[in-house]
């Protein structure tokens, strides 16, 4: 089990967020430091996986559910097109070690690839 992070506190409700999508296994909420017009984080509720490499190996269907949720959010909040970013490892910009997808959409232009 990965260490407790800010995202496990969001899942438990200890830190309140605006829930933009929720299923039994997945939660989506706005990134507090948006890098695009639409910048949403999609996370699994479990804190078992630190990054997408572990998630893909451990539960591919949960990764699929995260991607499907990203598409639903891009349809709802933008034109359906979206950029999906997983930062994997501190040297790649990962700061929260509970796997999460950055969904960027809407007037992306030259927006940063880093969440
Ligand atoms: P990463 O750098 O890929 O690990 O992304 C972590 C992201 O989590 C950053 O874009 C932060 O802005 C975002 N973040 C951290 N804490 C919160 C929070 N309490 N609510 C919303 N977004 C957060």
């Amino acid at each position: 089990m990965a260490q407790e992070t800010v995202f496990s506190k969001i899942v438990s409700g200890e830190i309140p967020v605006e829930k933009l999508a929720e299923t039994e296994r997945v939660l989506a909420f706005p990134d507090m430091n948006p890098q695009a017009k639409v910048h949403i984080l999609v996370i699994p509720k479990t804190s078992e996986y630190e990054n997408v490499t572990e998630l893909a190996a451990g539960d591919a269907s949960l990764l699929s559910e995260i991607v499907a949720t990203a598409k639903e959010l891009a349809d709802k909040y933008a034109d359906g097109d979206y950029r999906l970013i997983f930062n994997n490892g501190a040297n790649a910009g990962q700061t929260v070690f509970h796997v999460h997808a950055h969904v960027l959409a809407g007037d992306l232009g030259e927006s940063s690839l880093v969440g």
Side-chain angles (χ1 to χ4, degrees), residues 6-7 10 29-33 41 87 93-96 100 102 115:
V6 65
F7 290 170
I10 286 172
F29 52 90
D31 194 295
M32 66 170 11
N33 182 24
L41 299 175
N87 292 325
Q94 187 173 8
T95 58
V96 180
H100 52 281
H102 294 260

Side-chain angles (χ1 to χ4, degrees), residues 75-103:
D75 284 338
K76 185 168 181 185
Y77 294 104
D79 62 4
D81 290 349
Y82 64 105
R83 188 173 289 161
L84 193 62
I85 296 171
F86 292 88
N87 292 325
N88 296 281
N91 291 337
Q94 187 173 8
T95 58
V96 180
F97 293 88
H98 175 137
V99 60
H100 52 281
H102 294 260
V103 182

Side-chain angles (χ1 to χ4, degrees):
M1 193 64 109
Q3 66 195 26
E4 191 180 19
T5 67
V6 65
F7 290 170
S8 42
K9 292 181 181 169
I10 286 172
V11 171
S12 72
E14 191 179 332
I15 297 175
V17 292
E18 181 190 358
K19 294 181 180 178
L20 300 179
E22 184 173 21
T23 69
E24 204 175 303
R25 298 204 295 165
V26 167
L27 179 64
F29 52 90
D31 194 295
M32 66 170 11
N33 182 24
Q35 305 295 310
K37 191 170 169 195
V38 175
H39 186 172
I40 299 169
L41 299 175
V42 185
I43 69 171
K45 291 184 176 176
T46 177
S47 45
E48 193 176 345
Y49 306 106
E50 286 195 2
N51 56 56
V52 74
T53 310
E54 289 183 6
L55 177 60
D59 192 341
S61 72
L62 184 52
L63 176 57
S64 290
E65 195 171 332
I66 287 171
V67 175
T69 302
K71 173 58 177 162
E72 285 169 16
L73 291 163
D75 284 338
K76 185 168 181 185
Y77 294 104
D79 62 4
D81 290 349
Y82 64 105
R83 188 173 289 161
L84 193 62
I85 296 171
F86 292 88
N87 292 325
N88 296 281
N91 291 337
Q94 187 173 8
T95 58
V96 180
F97 293 88
H98 175 137
V99 60
H100 52 281
H102 294 260
V103 182
L104 303 177
D107 298 332
L108 286 176
E110 297 301 314
S111 75
S112 166
L113 287 174
V114 181

